[in-house]
Amino acid sequence: MSGSTGRGGFVDRHGLWGEAEREAALEMRRRIDEDGIELVRFSFPDQHGILRGKAILAAEIDSALANGVSITSTLLVKDSAHRTVPPVFSAELTLADFAGAADFLMVADPATFRVLPWAPGTGWVLCDICWPDGRKIVYASRDICRAAEAEARKLGFDPVAGIEVEFHVFRLLDQRREFADAGQPGAPPDVGLLTHGYQYLTEIRLDELDPVLTVLRRTLAALALPLRSLEVEFGPSQVEATFAPRGALDAADMMVLFRNAAKQVCTRHGYHATFMCRPAMENVFSSGWHLHQSLRDRASGANAFTPETEDALLSPIGARFAAGLLAHARAAAVFTTPTINGYKRFKPFSLAPDRIAWARDNRGAMLRVISARGEPASRIENRAGEPAANPYLYLASQILSGLDGLARGLEPPPPTGAPYDEDAPAMPATLMEAVAALDASEMFRSRLGAAFVDYICMIKRAEIDRYLSAVTDWEQREYLRMF
């Protein structure tokens, strides 16, 4: 008989674990017993990179590990307001697997297990997802990142990613939890500043933020996340976190857990952490997610991007990888910058890119190359990303774009010295432009599958349609008195 958490013997029946997962599951069980864990959050990253899942009591853990955990399939077809996009109860539904809002199964990746330092007696494990008949779900973003990483490995490379992400931490004034504040979406909280801002990397501002940064730093250390720095950014209440480089899937897992932890622990201490790109608050600055990336040669262990001459920005492999990133930047923008709000960051002379170009150590270019002859840390920094990006899709889009540059032997244009004056293709001005570019991308349709591209475009177009139908404050001010 099937267990209450899933389907009897599901993991074994479909061969979803190998020996490494079985050993990790034993270690996970040991820690649950030794640490007196009362429940474990089984979570998976959805299409937005948001964690969703269920909390399983310790007595049910063995069943959950062996059988998987059932969860509603419509979680994969929600837009950013948690609205179900396709008509799952309609006979005209084209996505048959979602008919009737049936279930899929979460299968734990026991190597990701952690004890949550901010939630007493609580553990957490990241999950992969499958249909009840054992089929992989083509919309699963973690699997997409894993497949992109595997494609690079087949060619003899390990993708390496370093995360540098900006975000805001505000003082939480009012959670706005009256009945009138509920909805899809609900009312945002009322918040206040923790710093005045406009004093980039000053120690005084750092000290003002020290109470919350100490909480964050200790939390991330307890989670064994490889934090390198927590810094004061330029804007009021703006912070930047940097992490040591990791493999692509590990880096994406790390980013998901970091965002989740930061938001939860800040709320418990009376703060509000947000990874929204450009909050609509006076004098508040946009935040970016700068993704550092390179390839490591699997045979030699050397950085495959390290230039061989003084005048080269990158090795020939690195240059072709960069050419792929440039060639597919407009279509990849759906993954690097997936929100309507994120495109309001692309302004000239703003330390954010407004066109598709590369340069040596220039923070105005979309691709900032940090390299030197023989330098083992030579890398490309893509500055187009926003902090709200789904980490798995962001990483996968970069790997696939770069590998296409290698496969086709693409060569990048000359690097720019004036990125805001360069005669180069413009970044998409809106999410609408980016979705159209992705929809038309033969490379992404080939590498990700037409079903996935159609699916993500459907989700994003639903958000765009809601945005276009909303009456904004700008319209109210512009037209109500004039006409």
Side-chain angles (χ1 to χ4, degrees), residues 323-356:
L325 296 181
L326 295 170
H328 300 294
R330 286 182 62 83
V334 174
F335 306 122
T336 65
T337 313
T339 74
I340 286 168
N341 178 257
Y343 291 82
K344 296 174 181 178
R345 170 175 164 262
F346 296 151
K347 304 293 183 185
F349 307 103
S350 66
L351 295 176
D354 72 339
R355 58 201 73 190
I356 299 167

Side-chain angles (χ1 to χ4, degrees), residues 122-455:
T122 302
W124 175 88
V125 67
L126 193 58
C127 298
D128 293 306
I129 54 178
C130 299
W131 294 117
D133 59 6
R135 284 178 297 132
K136 289 288 187 180
I137 298 176
V138 298
Y139 316 112
S141 58
R142 193 168 189 249
D143 279 345
I144 286 170
C145 185
R146 181 184 286 117
E149 189 172 42
E151 189 169 338
R153 287 175 175 168
K154 287 179 184 176
L155 298 174
F157 301 109
D158 285 321
V160 178
I163 289 173
E164 173 188 337
V165 62
E166 299 159 354
F167 60 107
H168 288 90
V169 181
F170 299 115
R171 189 177 308 283
L172 185 55
L173 303 178
D174 185 353
Q175 281 278 26
R176 302 282 300 277
R177 285 179 174 160
E178 299 300 323
F179 286 107
D181 298 323
Q184 288 183 289
D190 291 333
V191 298
L193 294 177
L194 295 178
T195 70
H196 184 271
Y198 296 17
Q199 295 190 31
Y200 180 46
L201 293 178
T202 53
E203 186 175 328
I204 291 173
R205 294 294 178 242
L206 176 66
D207 195 68
E208 289 180 10
L209 284 169
D210 185 66
V212 66
L213 295 187
T214 296
V215 171
L216 285 172
R217 185 180 68 250
R218 290 173 178 171
T219 297
L220 300 180
L223 293 170
L225 297 186
L227 181 70
R228 279 184 163 176
S229 66
L230 272 175
E231 304 163 356
V232 177
E233 255 298 333
F234 195 89
S237 275
Q238 192 176 38
V239 180
E240 180 181 80
T242 67
F243 294 86
R246 289 290 185 271
L249 186 64
D250 286 345
D253 287 346
M254 177 178 67
M255 181 63 174
V256 161
L257 182 53
F258 163 61
R259 284 195 314 211
N260 211 46
K263 290 188 72 67
Q264 292 183 39
V265 76
C266 282
T267 297
R268 285 178 178 242
H269 286 81
Y271 303 101
H272 179 74
T274 181
F275 293 82
M276 177 182 179
C277 178
R278 189 177 176 87
M281 299 165 186
E282 188 176 3
N283 292 319
V284 169
F285 277 42
S286 298
S287 292
W289 170 5
H290 306 148
L291 183 62
H292 297 252
Q293 51 195 303
S294 61
L295 296 176
R296 180 184 296 118
D297 186 278
R298 289 176 63 81
S300 67
N303 184 343
F305 282 10
T306 300
E308 300 164 357
T309 61
E310 294 290 348
D311 58 342
L313 263 69
L314 294 168
S315 68
I317 288 173
R320 289 173 187 144
F321 193 96
L325 296 181
L326 295 170
H328 300 294
R330 286 182 62 83
V334 174
F335 306 122
T336 65
T337 313
T339 74
I340 286 168
N341 178 257
Y343 291 82
K344 296 174 181 178
R345 170 175 164 262
F346 296 151
K347 304 293 183 185
F349 307 103
S350 66
L351 295 176
D354 72 339
R355 58 201 73 190
I356 299 167
W358 72 318
R360 184 190 294 277
D361 200 6
N362 191 315
R363 287 179 167 85
M366 190 194 88
L367 299 184
R368 174 190 175 216
V369 178
I370 306 157
S371 67
R373 180 185 178 185
E375 171 54 63
S378 295
R379 62 197 185 273
I380 296 168
E381 176 192 8
N382 191 332
R383 298 177 62 81
E386 68 166 315
N390 180 325
Y392 303 98
L393 300 183
Y394 190 174
L395 267 292
S397 74
Q398 301 299 281
I399 295 169
L400 296 177
S401 295
L403 293 184
D404 186 66
L406 290 179
R408 293 165 55 199
L410 299 181
E411 295 297 334
T416 181
Y420 295 116
D421 297 321
E422 182 76 14
D423 183 16
M427 297 289 294
T430 64
L431 181 60
M432 296 79 112
E433 283 188 30
V435 169
L438 175 62
D439 200 7
S441 170
E442 294 182 6
M443 188 279 288
F444 278 122
R445 284 189 171 276
S446 172
R447 303 263 182 157
L448 295 175
F452 177 80
V453 171
D454 290 342
Y455 156 82

Side-chain angles (χ1 to χ4, degrees), residues 31 35 37 113-117 119 121-124 222-223:
R31 289 191 62 192
D35 294 348
I37 298 300
F113 176 76
R114 287 170 168 82
V115 176
L116 298 184
T122 302
W124 175 88
L223 293 170

